[in-house]
Amino acid sequence: MFAFSFYSKKVFKMKQFSLFALWLIIILTAFTGCRSSQNSSPTDEEIIKLTFLHINDVYEIGGVGGGKYGNLARVAQLKKDLLKENPNTYLVLSGDFLNPSVLGTLKLNGKRISGKHMVDVMNASNIDFVTFGNHEFDLKEKEVLQRINESKFEWIASNTFYYKNEKIQPFTRNGKKLPTHIILEPKNTKGKSIKVGILGITTKYNQPDFVRYTDEYQTAKNVYQEIESKTDFSVALTHLLEDEDEKLAGIVPQLRLLMGGHDHENMKFVYGKTIMAKADANARTAYIHRLTYNTKTKKLQIDSELKTIDKTIGYEPTAKAAIEKWDKIADSVFEAQGFDIKKEIYKLTETLDARESSIRNFQTNAGTLIVDAMADAFPNTQLAVVGSGSVRLDDQITGTITEYDILRMLPFGGKIYQITISGDILTQFLDAGTKNKGTGGYLQYQEKLKFDAQQGWLLNNKKIDKNKQYTVVTNDYNLSGKEANMEFMNIKTNKEIKNIISSDDIKSPQSDIRKAVILYLQKL
């Protein structure tokens, strides 16, 4: 019994030790696994986040679609909301904002507004960074310089320069040269920071005498190489066509994000390791790019969200007040010009399509309305034609048309002319419009004109006779010789353009294309 008892106690103690050892191994394994897990997951100190709120091609401060979409006060409020999520939040606009807009065409104190209202509202909206778009240079030299000096936001101009006194030099803002790049230093809650480079690249689409561009792609490569050793990664604001963005991504693949403009419809593509995104024009939508950078692994994650700008977002008070100020100014100026912007003139039975993506590529009902109104102003004309670049609404209209809708559709106004030209010149004119497809030089014309692949241009089902004379109505810009492929349509130099007729009477529809459309709709 004694022996058995001793043996039992020994076995019992060994079992206790074995159980204790087993539990110790389990605890140590768990602890080690926990530490291993912690080591494999990034810590708060290693992670730095920043957010870009990105819009492009904004011409309307108060939104579009009857105010249903867009409005810079909503964008400003969205930025405020994102700042609560992440203090490293920046609002950027990728070009095209100074022009065109109906407000910009107005005169205040004897001077054309020319984008002054946009800069004022953008300042109130706390825009951080912009790059040039081609439409900034629709303005005169003095106007562009004034707008830059009035801005509180920074302009990034990598390949866009000022040409003065036969010297190429940077544009300046209140005496300070516009930078070719910016280096941001966002921090995390632990105080650790990174350096992020931002470039600004603009298409060479519009080059007045006071502007010079360097090559978009080589410049981007040069600027990136200049800042590569000083930054953790780089992005760019671009105002390029989509295929140009793709080319840029191929030449400078180190640019991780291209926040684009110039194309007016939202898109997002991935070229290698480069993400390219564009929002819808007039801030119908905005892109929210959330960037997460791991300082230990040097890895960057980009999450891009397309956000609709509508009534679900409130109005930031300061920006809203700035917009209301300019709306009141517009009301008074239009009233002095004889326009009643709130006046309802026609109830539509179908949606009127004046989107640039449509009207610059095919005949739309908005284009047909305009040319029919132009023809109505000259009862004896045979054909009316308008350049789609005169139409700047970039929107659809439903319901009731107001005078303000017409002013927004045709912000430049301008006289319309009846001319007499040969069928040969008319054919050249129409062919040039076809060549200009996708641009403002694309022509909208009356339905009596058709193109047949075998016979060519047909007017009232008859082939246009090159030796016959035709009466044609068109807009003033088409007769300036400035439109692409239409240099021969200059009424000052082409003596074959005859019998030029218009009116200076402000009550005449011939004096202003907008009045022609308004009077025509009132007749209907």
Side-chain angles (χ1 to χ4, degrees):
M1 289 290 297
F2 175 80
F4 179 77
S5 177
F6 173 79
Y7 177 76
S8 298
K9 287 180 180 181
K10 186 176 180 181
V11 170
F12 178 73
K13 286 181 179 180
M14 288 177 66
K15 285 183 178 180
Q16 278 187 317
F17 175 80
S18 298
L19 287 171
F20 173 78
L22 180 61
W23 278 110
L24 184 59
I25 291 169
I26 291 172
I27 291 169
L28 287 172
T29 301
F31 179 74
T32 303
C34 182
R35 289 190 63 182
S36 175
S37 175
Q38 285 178 343
N39 288 336
S40 62
S41 300
T43 64
D44 290 343
E45 187 175 352
E46 294 169 352
I47 296 299
I48 296 176
K49 297 182 179 182
L50 66 154
T51 301
F52 290 109
L53 175 56
H54 159 215
I55 55 177
N56 51 273
D57 304 87
V58 179
Y59 315 109
E60 295 290 338
I61 53 178
V64 293
K68 186 177 180 181
Y69 299 104
N71 192 301
L72 285 176
R74 287 173 176 155
V75 176
Q77 183 58 50
L78 179 57
K79 181 190 176 183
K80 274 191 171 182
D81 296 340
L82 290 170
L83 279 166
K84 295 175 184 176
E85 174 188 304
N86 184 357
N88 300 319
T89 294
Y90 309 93
L91 174 53
V92 302
L93 202 168
S94 299
D96 271 12
F97 48 89
L98 293 183
N99 193 68
S101 70
V102 61
L103 266 168
T105 65
L106 304 181
K107 286 188 176 181
L108 180 64
N109 300 324
K111 293 183 179 180
R112 191 162 169 165
I113 291 172
S114 297
K116 186 179 182 70
H117 65 299
M118 290 299 304
V119 172
D120 186 40
V121 174
M122 288 167 66
N123 286 340
S125 302
N126 289 316
I127 300 274
D128 292 293
F129 306 113
V130 304
T131 196
F132 286 102
N134 54 288
H135 282 306
E136 270 61 83
F137 300 124
D138 291 342
L139 304 186
K140 296 177 181 178
E141 176 182 350
K142 185 177 180 180
E143 294 170 336
V144 172
L145 299 179
Q146 287 174 337
R147 298 297 89 84
I148 293 173
N149 283 333
E150 289 162 0
S151 60
K152 295 180 181 177
F153 42 86
E154 185 62 272
W155 300 65
I156 307 174
S158 299
N159 73 315
T160 310
F161 296 91
Y162 182 40
Y163 185 68
K164 185 74 171 178
N165 298 325
E166 299 184 354
K167 182 181 178 182
I168 299 174
Q169 54 203 298
F171 282 94
T172 60
R173 182 163 65 98
N174 298 315
K176 184 180 179 182
K177 294 178 182 179
L178 297 189
T180 59
H181 63 273
I182 291 287
I183 297 180
L184 299 177
E185 296 189 45
K187 298 180 180 179
N188 62 17
T189 55
K190 304 297 183 180
K192 191 166 187 176
S193 66
I194 57 173
K195 293 184 178 181
V196 180
I198 309 180
L199 285 65
I201 302 294
T202 303
T203 182
K204 296 184 283 188
Y205 182 80
N206 187 8
Q207 183 175 309
D209 291 339
F210 65 94
V211 176
R212 292 292 184 273
Y213 299 99
T214 54
D215 181 78
E216 308 97 310
Y217 313 108
Q218 188 60 47
T219 299
K221 186 175 182 179
N222 292 345
V223 173
Y224 174 76
Q225 289 175 345
E226 177 188 343
I227 65 174
E228 181 179 12
S229 62
K230 307 172 188 176
T231 56
D232 292 281
F233 64 88
S234 291
V235 301
L237 304 182
T238 67
H239 195 84
L240 304 167
L241 290 170
E242 186 272 321
D243 60 344
E244 295 172 327
D245 279 304
E246 183 175 9
K247 183 176 178 180
L248 176 62
I251 292 173
V252 194
Q254 300 91 340
L255 293 173
R256 299 300 306 276
L257 174 64
L258 305 181
M259 293 176 277
H262 199 40
D263 295 299
H264 284 196
E265 295 184 319
N266 78 77
M267 60 183 72
K268 178 173 173 280
F269 297 103
V270 180
Y271 313 121
K273 292 184 178 180
T274 302
I275 293 174
M276 189 282 290
K278 310 187 187 200
D280 294 287
N282 285 315
R284 287 187 184 87
T285 60
Y287 255 108
I288 303 171
H289 305 289
R290 294 178 173 89
L291 286 70
T292 303
Y293 186 76
N294 188 318
T295 58
K296 184 178 181 180
T297 63
K298 310 298 182 185
K299 288 186 178 180
L300 173 66
Q301 179 179 325
I302 301 174
D303 298 301
S304 298
E305 172 194 357
L306 185 66
K307 178 77 172 177
T308 300
I309 308 299
D310 59 13
K311 64 181 180 180
T312 61
I313 303 170
Y315 298 103
E316 196 283 323
T318 304
K320 182 173 182 286
I323 292 171
E324 290 173 345
K325 177 186 74 175
W326 284 103
D327 283 344
K328 288 179 181 178
I329 291 171
D331 289 350
S332 63
V333 175
F334 282 129
E335 186 177 349
Q337 292 181 351
F339 293 107
D340 180 357
I341 63 174
K342 295 180 182 178
K343 184 178 180 180
E344 298 181 350
I345 54 176
Y346 190 77
K347 187 170 180 61
L348 292 166
T349 56
E350 62 179 14
T351 297
L352 206 61
D353 187 0
R355 293 172 297 179
E356 284 192 8
S357 59
S358 300
I359 206 164
R360 294 188 176 196
N361 288 283
F362 54 85
Q363 186 73 27
T364 74
N365 55 359
T368 301
L369 166 64
I370 294 167
V371 292
D372 284 347
M374 292 166 64
D376 189 68
F378 294 89
N380 297 319
T381 199
Q382 292 173 278
L383 177 68
V385 180
V386 70
S388 59
S390 296
V391 184
R392 296 292 184 156
L393 181 67
D394 195 25
D395 198 4
Q396 294 177 300
I397 304 176
T398 57
T400 302
I401 297 181
T402 65
E403 288 197 7
Y404 188 60
D405 289 323
I406 303 304
L407 296 171
R408 286 179 56 226
M409 188 186 301
L410 298 160
F412 300 128
K415 295 171 72 173
I416 52 177
Y417 293 85
Q418 180 177 278
I419 58 175
T420 301
I421 53 177
S422 67
D424 184 36
I425 293 177
L426 177 56
T427 299
Q428 291 181 51
F429 183 32
L430 298 174
D431 286 343
T434 302
K435 289 179 183 177
N436 289 337
K437 185 175 182 180
T439 74
Y442 184 74
L443 297 176
Q444 296 283 308
Y445 41 76
Q446 289 180 283
E447 292 181 345
K448 63 175 76 175
L449 180 71
K450 305 288 183 184
F451 182 78
D452 181 83
Q454 279 72 43
Q455 300 182 70
W457 292 101
L458 306 177
L459 182 59
N460 293 320
N461 295 318
K462 293 183 180 180
K463 181 178 172 62
I464 291 177
D465 186 340
K466 293 188 176 183
N467 298 311
K468 187 178 177 181
Q469 297 292 303
Y470 294 86
T471 55
V472 178
V473 172
T474 192
N475 54 306
D476 54 0
Y477 191 74
N478 275 345
L479 297 175
S480 68
K482 295 179 180 179
E483 187 58 81
N485 301 309
M486 296 180 186
E487 295 81 3
F488 60 92
M489 289 298 293
N490 189 330
I491 56 175
K492 293 181 180 179
T493 59
N494 191 341
K495 302 303 180 183
E496 294 185 49
I497 300 176
K498 304 173 182 178
N499 303 324
I500 302 166
I501 301 171
S502 189
S503 175
D504 292 320
D505 182 354
I506 61 171
K507 294 182 180 180
S508 169
Q510 299 173 11
S511 69
D512 191 315
I513 190 172
R514 299 171 297 187
K515 289 183 178 178
V517 177
I518 290 170
L519 290 171
Y520 177 69
L521 286 172
Q522 288 174 340
K523 286 182 183 180
L524 294 180

